[in-house]
Amino acid sequence: MTASPHVRSGTVLPVRVELARQLRRPRTLVVYGLLVLLPLIVVAAVKLGPSASSDPGSRRFGGGSLDLVGLATSGAWNFCITMLFFATGFLLVLVTAVFLGDTVAGEAQWGTLRYLLAAPVPRGRLLGVKLVVGLLSTAGGLFLLIVVSYGVGLLAFGSGPLASPAGGVYDGWDAAARVMVIAVFIMLSLLFTAGIAFLMTVSTDVPLGAVGAALIIVIVSSILDAIEALGDLRQWLPTDYTNAWVGALSPQIDWSQMARGATYSAVAFVVLVAVAFVRFARKDVLS
Amino acid sequence: MSRAPWLGRVGGLPALLGGLLLAGSGLLPPAAQAAVPVAEAGAPVPLTIDGGPTSAADPTPVRLSADLYLPPTTPAPAVVIAHGFGGDKTDVAPQATQLADAGFVVLAYTARGFGESTGRISMNAPRYEVADARAVVSELAGTPQVLTDAPGDPRVGVTGGSYGGALALLLAGSDDRIDAVAADITWNDLQTSLFGQSRVPGGELGVFKSWWAGSFFTVGLEQPGARATPCGRFARNWCRAFDRAATRGVLTRADARLMAASSPRSVTGRITAATLIGAGQADSLFPFAQAVATYEQITAAHPRTPVKLVWHGGGHDGGAPEGERLADLMTAWMTAHLAGGPPVDTDFEVTFTDGALGADSRREPVVATMPAFPGLAGGDPTPIDLTGTATAVRAPAGGAPAAVSSFPGAGALAGLATMSPPGQSAAFDSAPVTTDTTLVGSPRVTLQLSSTREVRDVALFAQLRVVTATGTEIAPQGLVAPVRLNRLGPAPTTATVDLPAIATRVSVGDRLRVVVTTTDAAYQLPVQPAVYSVDLADRRLLLPATPGIENAQQPISPWLLLAVPLMLGVVLLAWLLRPRAPRPTQRPELSEVPVVIEGLSKSYRRGPTAVDDITFQVPPGVVLGLLGPNGAGKTTTMRMLMGLIEPSAGAIYLFGSRVHPGAEVLSRCGSLIEGAGFLPHLSGRTNLELYWRATGRSSDPRMAQVLDIAGLGGAADRKVRSYSQGMRQRLGIAQAMLGMPDLLVLDEPTNGLDPPQIREMRDVLRDYAAAGRTVVVSSHLLAEVEMTCTHVIVMNRGRVVAEGEVADLRAGGERLEDVFLGIVGNEHTVGEGR
């Protein structure tokens, strides 16, 4: 090829540029806003609502009932853990679906996808950067939730140790390390949602459709997981391990369920993302 | 569904209250298991076997309905399977099939009084049910497919759960021909099972487990198709014994003898066969202490007899689903002791079903082992101090309302709904524990009891709870220790109580709490009201210490490692499937020609051929108009030019380089295709800046120049969302011109522009080409092309129908429009789709 002043020499679509393109989007700000709002709402509910712990009937005991409010208000670490407990079922799944499901389909809808590809950003590079930025945004959301929850919990309830409802009290670095383990596991378990959303986003030009389809698949999996009659079959559902991170609260960290959950999620992610790459590489971009 | 549990139900189906309540236990077969499908190959042979005498008055043998399962090769050792209370031979078909597959001749039969077998229920009485079992063994001795040790002595094991488990033990203790036993969730002593007494030393008759006994008895009363009778299929003496116990909570001497004869305790000293004993942690009917008694009696009498004790997570209350593990263990036990299979150790096994809260109840339980069972109290009990003061507790008149600690047989409900009416309990707490502790066995507490007035019948229920640092109270399995005193007055009475056996972990910061309650709904309670004082006679709570069991941890499945090669394989496959750049990639002789299109076609799977074999070149320095009606294939051609669409056939070269998705040469080309596309939340200027950075090009973007061309003025710093169609279009053209690329490809650039802007754009494009660059413009506006372009290519229906310089085409002095209509015809001037 002849030398030309236009031939690129820098990095095509650097991650920094993609971050700048995505982070200033209103939907990003709304999602992060929700994650900041959740701990604030819970604190407000606990502080302003009727006192649950003064009602003797609310203190149930038995083979494993959970006094969530009592747990949440015992200190910053526990508040943080409770927020994660609330968020893992749906909110973080939603966040992941938005960040990964909108990323390519959103560009298609705006009409910017064709200009990026004609820039030219090689398709593999485009997907790679999109994937990295989507996952970074999701991890950022998770991190934000943890930091805000801890901060809000610290102000509202003081710096209590991390105490598991099933027994076990952890201070300082031990607590931080366990929360770290939990955060890493949650991120890994979100990879399943991420993979579905990412496959959807390269398959459609409608971002809402991609996000919705990913959510529906995750919700259906959760519903199937709740059907006792399916028995052992359910252990193959990736959503079966959503709360496996409570294993990190045992005195001896129970890695086995986390390992399973993370592995299934990672395998599903790799397969889904591989299909997404193969599909997108040959796709006629008509948007 | 997983494989059937090892005889008797130890699975975790949450039985509903009411009718299903009974079905949830091993005692009574789940209705859904009534018809078990049996594999065609191993289909059982139905037989009828003559058992023991029908009754003392009637020596006619009962007729037992049985099924014989044959293994692939015979002769083989045999296993007799006895079913749970209320069931029949079909309940054990899954285990029978598993054993037959493992190489055993299996005989499953329906006990007398149940199903199709005749006779009446005598609760495993030696003269009746045990005699039946001996007849079954004799039948096996005469079966040619069964291996024999001596004439009339088959090589045979016996197994069963609950009612069947007791039969297995009673048979093994009364018939020398039995070579191996596996008995799960069953009783050692029927009396102490049904009349719970946790006070040590015992002596006084315990509190009647009215809920369990009633459930038990109801099943035996049922006679399908027959009128309801007071005793149903029960033998008369058992029927009367139950009536006495249920109405008055008493046991006559004769009833006690009846129960003793039906208790394995009476024969355990004679058992020499290898015995596998199972017990469930979720079992308020036959608590762990029953299995421990059996274990200790057998080992005491014959220390060299292999006896293995397994304390699993199941039981009559449901609990953890360990059926598959237990079925495999039982099969291995039989194989080891009957067929010379690999030896099975006699380690004590205990399951930990607790763990982090909210953890999945279906997760694999953690199984810990110890070489020798240390006893219920542990090897060396560790004391922990309790605090608390004498508390007055009220026993309500009529025994109601009563605390609910567990729902016998209700599975998952057990322990969840523990509730206690006010004023009925006393609690004594320990300080938070300072080390993580594993408890396996029965903690022991010594209470000091008194009553405000003399009372003749006293029932109390003690329970150990773990109170976590967050205040959650956990009552392991919801089990209570019943205590009965025949009399209690104002003078203090000391009562040492063995709390229910538990297998649990206590963490640093947890407190232990002993709760003493006057009521429990599962038991028959005294009807007289009373007020007791409950205090600690000894501040020490003795905890069973179990050194060497601390490190039980659920293993991480090694299968998970398979994920690594699996993922690598998927990545490799995706990499192999990546599209390759078409060859030849370079045509150096064309490097000076901006665009070369050769035989280009595009057809979609469903739909017309959009571009049909077009060939043309665009020389440098021209403004080329790509002209044609809507649907002529102009936009499709431009999309292929930019590598957005894969051509069906043919090739495109830009400056001698083949175009494919992401081709490097596209960086010499700026484009506007089917309207502009921008990030609506950013300003026009930011959009251009980010786009330029995304291209990775290092040359000068000429930002000021292109923004000037766009003519947005101050609007360049407003969000694109607020732009009009024309502004977006102009910004789109500006983006295409960023960095002044050698080739500019513009699809309908004048869309949305007003006439003065169109005129301005015309000049911009001419100037652009004048500097030696090339512009390709598509349009359906003929006059527009006529005025802007130097060259023109006319397309129609995907084909090039005319090409040349504008001047040549207009040689006759006609307007281009007339030329065009002459070529294309009238019919296509109105759009028809893409």
Side-chain angles (χ1 to χ4, degrees), chain B residues 280-282 287-289 311-312 348 350-354 373 375-376 378 437-444 462-466 474-480 498-506 512-513 541-544 546 549:
Chain B
Q281 289 168 19
F288 185 45
W311 194 20
H312 53 76
F348 168 57
V350 57
T351 301
F352 289 92
T353 53
D354 62 326
F373 177 63
L376 262 183
T437 311
T438 302
L439 299 182
V440 178
S442 279
R444 179 174 288 188
Q463 187 176 41
L464 182 78
R465 294 183 190 158
V466 179
I474 298 164
Q477 308 294 354
L479 297 177
V480 295
D498 274 346
L499 296 170
I502 49 173
T504 194
R505 296 198 179 99
V506 182
L512 295 171
R513 173 176 292 169
L541 170 69
L542 295 179
L543 298 176
T546 43
I549 209 163

Short mmCIF file of all heavy atoms in Angstrom, two decimals, chain B residues 280-282 287-289 311-312 348 350-354 373 375-376 378 437-444 462-466 474-480 498-506 512-513 541-544 546 549:
data_model
loop_
_atom_site.label_atom_id
_atom_site.label_comp_id
_atom_site.label_asym_id
_atom_site.label_seq_id
_atom_site.Cartn_x
_atom_site.Cartn_y
_atom_site.Cartn_z
N GLY B 280 -30.93 -40.05 60.65
CA GLY B 280 -31.09 -38.73 60.04
C GLY B 280 -31.05 -37.63 61.08
O GLY B 280 -31.49 -37.81 62.22
N GLN B 281 -30.50 -36.49 60.68
CA GLN B 281 -30.49 -35.35 61.60
C GLN B 281 -31.85 -34.68 61.67
O GLN B 281 -32.19 -34.06 62.66
CB GLN B 281 -29.42 -34.35 61.16
CG GLN B 281 -28.03 -34.89 61.40
CD GLN B 281 -26.96 -34.08 60.71
OE1 GLN B 281 -27.16 -32.95 60.34
NE2 GLN B 281 -25.81 -34.68 60.54
N ALA B 282 -32.60 -34.78 60.58
CA ALA B 282 -33.94 -34.20 60.58
C ALA B 282 -34.92 -35.31 60.92
O ALA B 282 -35.67 -35.77 60.07
CB ALA B 282 -34.24 -33.59 59.22
N PRO B 287 -34.70 -40.32 66.81
CA PRO B 287 -33.53 -39.46 66.88
C PRO B 287 -32.22 -40.26 66.86
O PRO B 287 -32.21 -41.49 67.00
CB PRO B 287 -33.72 -38.69 68.18
CG PRO B 287 -34.72 -39.45 68.97
CD PRO B 287 -35.54 -40.24 68.00
N PHE B 288 -31.16 -39.52 66.68
CA PHE B 288 -29.83 -40.11 66.53
C PHE B 288 -29.51 -41.08 67.66
O PHE B 288 -28.86 -42.10 67.46
CB PHE B 288 -28.81 -38.98 66.47
CG PHE B 288 -27.41 -39.44 66.18
CD1 PHE B 288 -27.13 -40.37 65.19
CD2 PHE B 288 -26.34 -38.89 66.90
CE1 PHE B 288 -25.83 -40.76 64.93
CE2 PHE B 288 -25.04 -39.29 66.63
CZ PHE B 288 -24.79 -40.22 65.65
N ALA B 289 -30.00 -40.77 68.86
CA ALA B 289 -29.68 -41.61 70.01
C ALA B 289 -30.13 -43.06 69.78
O ALA B 289 -29.50 -44.00 70.28
CB ALA B 289 -30.35 -41.05 71.26
N TRP B 311 -24.48 -40.62 60.06
CA TRP B 311 -25.48 -39.67 60.52
C TRP B 311 -25.66 -38.64 59.42
O TRP B 311 -24.88 -37.71 59.28
CB TRP B 311 -25.00 -39.01 61.81
CG TRP B 311 -26.08 -38.27 62.55
CD1 TRP B 311 -27.42 -38.43 62.42
CD2 TRP B 311 -25.88 -37.27 63.55
NE1 TRP B 311 -28.09 -37.59 63.26
CE2 TRP B 311 -27.17 -36.87 63.98
CE3 TRP B 311 -24.76 -36.68 64.13
CZ2 TRP B 311 -27.35 -35.89 64.94
CZ3 TRP B 311 -24.94 -35.71 65.10
CH2 TRP B 311 -26.22 -35.33 65.51
N HIS B 312 -26.67 -38.88 58.61
CA HIS B 312 -26.83 -38.06 57.41
C HIS B 312 -27.82 -36.92 57.63
O HIS B 312 -28.37 -36.75 58.71
CB HIS B 312 -27.26 -38.93 56.23
CG HIS B 312 -28.45 -39.78 56.49
ND1 HIS B 312 -29.73 -39.28 56.49
CD2 HIS B 312 -28.57 -41.12 56.77
CE1 HIS B 312 -30.58 -40.26 56.73
NE2 HIS B 312 -29.90 -41.39 56.92
N PHE B 348 -17.04 -43.33 61.18
CA PHE B 348 -18.29 -42.60 61.46
C PHE B 348 -18.39 -41.46 60.47
O PHE B 348 -17.44 -40.72 60.24
CB PHE B 348 -18.24 -42.09 62.90
CG PHE B 348 -19.31 -41.08 63.23
CD1 PHE B 348 -20.65 -41.39 63.05
CD2 PHE B 348 -18.97 -39.84 63.74
CE1 PHE B 348 -21.63 -40.46 63.36
CE2 PHE B 348 -19.94 -38.90 64.05
CZ PHE B 348 -21.27 -39.22 63.86
N VAL B 350 -20.56 -38.01 59.33
CA VAL B 350 -21.57 -37.04 59.75
C VAL B 350 -21.66 -35.93 58.72
O VAL B 350 -20.66 -35.47 58.19
CB VAL B 350 -21.27 -36.50 61.17
CG1 VAL B 350 -19.90 -35.87 61.24
CG2 VAL B 350 -22.34 -35.49 61.61
N THR B 351 -22.88 -35.55 58.43
CA THR B 351 -23.12 -34.52 57.43
C THR B 351 -23.35 -33.18 58.11
O THR B 351 -24.05 -33.13 59.14
CB THR B 351 -24.38 -34.89 56.63
OG1 THR B 351 -24.16 -36.14 56.01
CG2 THR B 351 -24.69 -33.85 55.57
N PHE B 352 -22.77 -32.14 57.57
CA PHE B 352 -23.08 -30.80 58.06
C PHE B 352 -23.99 -30.13 57.06
O PHE B 352 -23.59 -29.85 55.94
CB PHE B 352 -21.79 -29.99 58.27
CG PHE B 352 -21.01 -30.48 59.44
CD1 PHE B 352 -20.02 -31.44 59.28
CD2 PHE B 352 -21.29 -30.01 60.71
CE1 PHE B 352 -19.32 -31.92 60.38
CE2 PHE B 352 -20.59 -30.48 61.81
CZ PHE B 352 -19.61 -31.44 61.64
N THR B 353 -25.22 -29.93 57.48
CA THR B 353 -26.17 -29.32 56.56
C THR B 353 -26.33 -27.83 56.83
O THR B 353 -27.00 -27.14 56.10
CB THR B 353 -27.56 -29.97 56.70
OG1 THR B 353 -27.92 -29.91 58.06
CG2 THR B 353 -27.54 -31.39 56.22
N ASP B 354 -25.75 -27.36 57.90
CA ASP B 354 -25.86 -25.93 58.17
C ASP B 354 -24.88 -25.21 57.28
O ASP B 354 -24.47 -25.70 56.27
CB ASP B 354 -25.56 -25.65 59.64
CG ASP B 354 -24.13 -26.03 59.99
OD1 ASP B 354 -23.65 -27.01 59.42
OD2 ASP B 354 -23.52 -25.35 60.81
N PHE B 373 -16.54 -43.52 66.34
CA PHE B 373 -17.59 -42.65 66.87
C PHE B 373 -17.31 -42.38 68.34
O PHE B 373 -17.16 -43.30 69.14
CB PHE B 373 -18.95 -43.33 66.69
CG PHE B 373 -20.07 -42.52 67.27
CD1 PHE B 373 -20.36 -41.26 66.77
CD2 PHE B 373 -20.82 -43.00 68.32
CE1 PHE B 373 -21.38 -40.50 67.30
CE2 PHE B 373 -21.86 -42.24 68.87
CZ PHE B 373 -22.13 -40.99 68.35
N GLY B 375 -19.13 -41.27 70.70
CA GLY B 375 -20.24 -41.33 71.65
C GLY B 375 -21.04 -40.05 71.59
O GLY B 375 -20.54 -39.02 71.15
N LEU B 376 -22.28 -40.15 72.05
CA LEU B 376 -23.18 -39.00 71.96
C LEU B 376 -22.67 -37.79 72.71
O LEU B 376 -22.92 -36.66 72.34
CB LEU B 376 -24.55 -39.40 72.55
CG LEU B 376 -25.62 -39.82 71.56
CD1 LEU B 376 -26.90 -40.09 72.32
CD2 LEU B 376 -25.84 -38.75 70.51
N GLY B 378 -19.61 -37.02 73.14
CA GLY B 378 -18.27 -36.65 72.72
C GLY B 378 -17.24 -37.34 73.57
O GLY B 378 -17.56 -37.89 74.63
N THR B 437 -16.20 -23.63 66.94
CA THR B 437 -16.38 -24.95 67.55
C THR B 437 -17.29 -25.78 66.68
O THR B 437 -18.28 -25.28 66.15
CB THR B 437 -17.03 -24.80 68.94
OG1 THR B 437 -16.32 -23.81 69.66
CG2 THR B 437 -17.01 -26.10 69.70
N THR B 438 -16.96 -27.04 66.55
CA THR B 438 -17.84 -27.96 65.84
C THR B 438 -18.51 -28.85 66.88
O THR B 438 -17.83 -29.47 67.69
CB THR B 438 -17.03 -28.81 64.85
OG1 THR B 438 -16.37 -27.92 63.95
CG2 THR B 438 -17.94 -29.72 64.05
N LEU B 439 -19.82 -28.89 66.86
CA LEU B 439 -20.55 -29.72 67.81
C LEU B 439 -21.12 -30.92 67.06
O LEU B 439 -21.82 -30.77 66.08
CB LEU B 439 -21.72 -28.94 68.42
CG LEU B 439 -21.40 -27.68 69.22
CD1 LEU B 439 -22.69 -27.10 69.79
CD2 LEU B 439 -20.43 -28.01 70.34
N VAL B 440 -20.78 -32.11 67.54
CA VAL B 440 -21.39 -33.33 67.00
C VAL B 440 -21.78 -34.18 68.18
O VAL B 440 -20.92 -34.75 68.85
CB VAL B 440 -20.41 -34.09 66.08
CG1 VAL B 440 -21.07 -35.37 65.58
CG2 VAL B 440 -19.99 -33.23 64.90
N GLY B 441 -23.07 -34.24 68.45
CA GLY B 441 -23.54 -35.05 69.57
C GLY B 441 -24.53 -34.29 70.41
O GLY B 441 -25.10 -33.29 69.99
N SER B 442 -24.74 -34.80 71.64
CA SER B 442 -25.75 -34.23 72.53
C SER B 442 -25.09 -33.37 73.60
O SER B 442 -24.36 -33.89 74.43
CB SER B 442 -26.50 -35.36 73.23
OG SER B 442 -27.48 -35.88 72.40
N PRO B 443 -25.41 -32.07 73.62
CA PRO B 443 -24.97 -31.27 74.77
C PRO B 443 -25.81 -31.68 76.00
O PRO B 443 -26.93 -32.19 75.85
CB PRO B 443 -25.29 -29.84 74.35
CG PRO B 443 -25.58 -29.89 72.88
CD PRO B 443 -26.08 -31.27 72.60
N ARG B 444 -25.26 -31.46 77.16
CA ARG B 444 -25.97 -31.88 78.36
C ARG B 444 -26.09 -30.70 79.33
O ARG B 444 -25.14 -29.97 79.54
CB ARG B 444 -25.23 -33.03 79.04
CG ARG B 444 -25.88 -33.52 80.33
CD ARG B 444 -25.19 -34.75 80.85
NE ARG B 444 -25.48 -35.94 80.04
CZ ARG B 444 -25.11 -37.17 80.40
NH1 ARG B 444 -24.45 -37.38 81.51
NH2 ARG B 444 -25.41 -38.20 79.63
N ALA B 462 -36.66 -29.21 76.20
CA ALA B 462 -35.44 -28.41 76.19
C ALA B 462 -34.83 -28.41 74.80
O ALA B 462 -34.94 -29.39 74.05
CB ALA B 462 -34.44 -28.96 77.21
N GLN B 463 -34.20 -27.32 74.47
CA GLN B 463 -33.66 -27.16 73.12
C GLN B 463 -32.40 -26.30 73.21
O GLN B 463 -32.34 -25.37 74.00
CB GLN B 463 -34.72 -26.46 72.27
CG GLN B 463 -34.38 -26.37 70.81
CD GLN B 463 -35.53 -25.76 70.02
OE1 GLN B 463 -36.16 -24.80 70.47
NE2 GLN B 463 -35.81 -26.32 68.86
N LEU B 464 -31.43 -26.62 72.37
CA LEU B 464 -30.24 -25.78 72.26
C LEU B 464 -30.38 -24.93 71.02
O LEU B 464 -30.70 -25.43 69.94
CB LEU B 464 -28.97 -26.64 72.15
CG LEU B 464 -27.69 -25.80 72.09
CD1 LEU B 464 -27.32 -25.30 73.48
CD2 LEU B 464 -26.55 -26.58 71.49
N ARG B 465 -30.15 -23.65 71.19
CA ARG B 465 -30.18 -22.76 70.02
C ARG B 465 -28.85 -22.04 69.91
O ARG B 465 -28.18 -21.80 70.91
CB ARG B 465 -31.30 -21.73 70.13
CG ARG B 465 -32.68 -22.37 70.07
CD ARG B 465 -33.76 -21.33 70.12
NE ARG B 465 -35.06 -21.97 70.30
CZ ARG B 465 -36.13 -21.36 70.78
NH1 ARG B 465 -36.04 -20.10 71.15
NH2 ARG B 465 -37.26 -22.00 70.91
N VAL B 466 -28.51 -21.68 68.69
CA VAL B 466 -27.32 -20.87 68.45
C VAL B 466 -27.81 -19.47 68.13
O VAL B 466 -28.63 -19.28 67.24
CB VAL B 466 -26.50 -21.44 67.27
CG1 VAL B 466 -25.27 -20.58 67.02
CG2 VAL B 466 -26.10 -22.88 67.56
N ILE B 474 -30.93 -19.80 65.77
CA ILE B 474 -31.02 -20.99 64.94
C ILE B 474 -31.23 -22.19 65.85
O ILE B 474 -30.44 -22.44 66.76
CB ILE B 474 -29.74 -21.17 64.11
CG1 ILE B 474 -29.57 -19.98 63.16
CG2 ILE B 474 -29.79 -22.48 63.32
CD1 ILE B 474 -28.19 -19.85 62.59
N ALA B 475 -32.32 -22.90 65.62
CA ALA B 475 -32.59 -24.12 66.37
C ALA B 475 -32.30 -25.27 65.43
O ALA B 475 -33.10 -25.56 64.56
CB ALA B 475 -34.04 -24.15 66.83
N PRO B 476 -31.13 -25.90 65.57
CA PRO B 476 -30.76 -26.91 64.58
C PRO B 476 -31.83 -27.99 64.45
O PRO B 476 -32.20 -28.65 65.41
CB PRO B 476 -29.45 -27.49 65.14
CG PRO B 476 -28.90 -26.40 66.00
CD PRO B 476 -30.11 -25.72 66.58
N GLN B 477 -32.35 -28.10 63.22
CA GLN B 477 -33.38 -29.08 62.85
C GLN B 477 -34.67 -28.94 63.65
O GLN B 477 -35.56 -29.76 63.52
CB GLN B 477 -32.86 -30.53 62.99
CG GLN B 477 -31.57 -30.81 62.30
CD GLN B 477 -31.68 -30.70 60.79
OE1 GLN B 477 -32.75 -30.51 60.24
NE2 GLN B 477 -30.55 -30.81 60.10
N GLY B 478 -34.77 -27.94 64.51
CA GLY B 478 -36.00 -27.77 65.27
C GLY B 478 -36.28 -28.87 66.28
O GLY B 478 -37.41 -29.04 66.73
N LEU B 479 -35.24 -29.63 66.62
CA LEU B 479 -35.48 -30.78 67.51
C LEU B 479 -35.56 -30.32 68.97
O LEU B 479 -34.88 -29.39 69.38
CB LEU B 479 -34.35 -31.80 67.36
CG LEU B 479 -34.22 -32.44 65.98
CD1 LEU B 479 -33.01 -33.36 65.93
CD2 LEU B 479 -35.49 -33.20 65.61
N VAL B 480 -36.41 -30.99 69.75
CA VAL B 480 -36.50 -30.71 71.18
C VAL B 480 -36.22 -31.99 71.96
O VAL B 480 -36.41 -33.09 71.47
CB VAL B 480 -37.88 -30.15 71.58
CG1 VAL B 480 -38.14 -28.80 70.93
CG2 VAL B 480 -38.99 -31.13 71.23
N ASP B 498 -30.19 -34.57 78.39
CA ASP B 498 -29.42 -34.63 77.15
C ASP B 498 -30.20 -33.90 76.08
O ASP B 498 -31.29 -34.31 75.70
CB ASP B 498 -29.20 -36.09 76.73
CG ASP B 498 -27.99 -36.70 77.40
OD1 ASP B 498 -27.18 -35.92 77.97
OD2 ASP B 498 -27.84 -37.93 77.37
N LEU B 499 -29.64 -32.80 75.61
CA LEU B 499 -30.32 -32.02 74.57
C LEU B 499 -30.25 -32.81 73.25
O LEU B 499 -29.44 -33.73 73.11
CB LEU B 499 -29.65 -30.65 74.45
CG LEU B 499 -29.80 -29.83 75.73
CD1 LEU B 499 -28.92 -28.59 75.68
CD2 LEU B 499 -31.25 -29.44 75.94
N PRO B 500 -31.10 -32.47 72.28
CA PRO B 500 -31.09 -33.24 71.03
C PRO B 500 -29.70 -33.25 70.39
O PRO B 500 -28.98 -32.25 70.44
CB PRO B 500 -32.08 -32.49 70.14
CG PRO B 500 -32.93 -31.74 71.07
CD PRO B 500 -32.09 -31.41 72.26
N ALA B 501 -29.36 -34.38 69.83
CA ALA B 501 -28.07 -34.48 69.15
C ALA B 501 -28.09 -33.60 67.92
O ALA B 501 -29.07 -33.59 67.17
CB ALA B 501 -27.82 -35.93 68.76
N ILE B 502 -27.01 -32.83 67.75
CA ILE B 502 -26.91 -31.94 66.59
C ILE B 502 -25.54 -32.05 65.99
O ILE B 502 -24.57 -32.45 66.64
CB ILE B 502 -27.18 -30.46 67.00
CG1 ILE B 502 -26.35 -30.09 68.23
CG2 ILE B 502 -28.65 -30.24 67.25
CD1 ILE B 502 -26.42 -28.62 68.58
N ALA B 503 -25.45 -31.71 64.74
CA ALA B 503 -24.15 -31.58 64.07
C ALA B 503 -24.14 -30.19 63.49
O ALA B 503 -24.83 -29.90 62.52
CB ALA B 503 -24.01 -32.62 62.97
N THR B 504 -23.41 -29.31 64.13
CA THR B 504 -23.43 -27.92 63.68
C THR B 504 -22.11 -27.24 64.03
O THR B 504 -21.32 -27.76 64.82
CB THR B 504 -24.63 -27.17 64.30
OG1 THR B 504 -24.80 -25.94 63.60
CG2 THR B 504 -24.42 -26.88 65.77
N ARG B 505 -21.91 -26.09 63.42
CA ARG B 505 -20.70 -25.33 63.72
C ARG B 505 -21.10 -24.05 64.42
O ARG B 505 -22.07 -23.41 64.06
CB ARG B 505 -19.97 -24.98 62.41
CG ARG B 505 -19.46 -26.18 61.67
CD ARG B 505 -18.40 -25.74 60.68
NE ARG B 505 -17.85 -26.89 59.97
CZ ARG B 505 -18.25 -27.24 58.75
NH1 ARG B 505 -19.16 -26.53 58.12
NH2 ARG B 505 -17.73 -28.29 58.16
N VAL B 506 -20.35 -23.73 65.44
CA VAL B 506 -20.58 -22.50 66.18
C VAL B 506 -19.37 -21.60 65.94
O VAL B 506 -18.23 -22.04 66.10
CB VAL B 506 -20.74 -22.80 67.69
CG1 VAL B 506 -21.04 -21.52 68.45
CG2 VAL B 506 -21.83 -23.83 67.91
N LEU B 512 -24.61 -19.56 72.85
CA LEU B 512 -25.45 -20.75 72.92
C LEU B 512 -26.57 -20.45 73.90
O LEU B 512 -26.37 -19.77 74.91
CB LEU B 512 -24.64 -21.95 73.40
CG LEU B 512 -23.54 -22.37 72.42
CD1 LEU B 512 -22.64 -23.42 73.05
CD2 LEU B 512 -24.14 -22.90 71.14
N ARG B 513 -27.75 -20.92 73.58
CA ARG B 513 -28.91 -20.64 74.43
C ARG B 513 -29.66 -21.94 74.66
O ARG B 513 -29.97 -22.66 73.71
CB ARG B 513 -29.81 -19.62 73.74
CG ARG B 513 -31.12 -19.36 74.46
CD ARG B 513 -31.91 -18.26 73.78
NE ARG B 513 -31.25 -16.96 73.94
CZ ARG B 513 -31.59 -15.87 73.28
NH1 ARG B 513 -32.57 -15.91 72.40
NH2 ARG B 513 -30.95 -14.74 73.48
N LEU B 541 -22.88 -25.97 80.76
CA LEU B 541 -23.47 -26.72 79.66
C LEU B 541 -22.33 -27.57 79.09
O LEU B 541 -21.27 -27.04 78.76
CB LEU B 541 -23.99 -25.75 78.59
CG LEU B 541 -24.44 -26.35 77.25
CD1 LEU B 541 -25.72 -27.16 77.43
CD2 LEU B 541 -24.69 -25.24 76.23
N LEU B 542 -22.51 -28.89 79.06
CA LEU B 542 -21.44 -29.75 78.57
C LEU B 542 -21.60 -29.95 77.07
O LEU B 542 -22.62 -30.46 76.60
CB LEU B 542 -21.48 -31.11 79.28
CG LEU B 542 -21.21 -31.06 80.78
CD1 LEU B 542 -21.31 -32.45 81.39
CD2 LEU B 542 -19.83 -30.46 81.06
N LEU B 543 -20.59 -29.49 76.33
CA LEU B 543 -20.65 -29.60 74.87
C LEU B 543 -19.88 -30.83 74.42
O LEU B 543 -18.80 -31.09 74.93
CB LEU B 543 -20.05 -28.35 74.22
CG LEU B 543 -20.77 -27.05 74.53
CD1 LEU B 543 -20.01 -25.89 73.89
CD2 LEU B 543 -22.19 -27.10 74.00
N PRO B 544 -20.42 -31.59 73.47
CA PRO B 544 -19.67 -32.74 72.95
C PRO B 544 -18.47 -32.25 72.15
O PRO B 544 -18.63 -31.49 71.20
CB PRO B 544 -20.69 -33.45 72.06
CG PRO B 544 -21.66 -32.39 71.66
CD PRO B 544 -21.70 -31.40 72.78
N THR B 546 -15.48 -32.79 69.65
CA THR B 546 -15.17 -33.73 68.57
C THR B 546 -13.89 -33.31 67.87
O THR B 546 -13.93 -32.77 66.77
CB THR B 546 -16.32 -33.77 67.55
OG1 THR B 546 -16.75 -32.43 67.32
CG2 THR B 546 -17.46 -34.60 68.05
N ILE B 549 -12.49 -33.40 63.71
CA ILE B 549 -13.55 -33.34 62.71
C ILE B 549 -13.68 -31.92 62.18
O ILE B 549 -14.49 -31.63 61.33
CB ILE B 549 -14.87 -33.82 63.35
CG1 ILE B 549 -15.76 -34.45 62.28
CG2 ILE B 549 -15.58 -32.73 64.11
CD1 ILE B 549 -16.84 -35.28 62.87
#
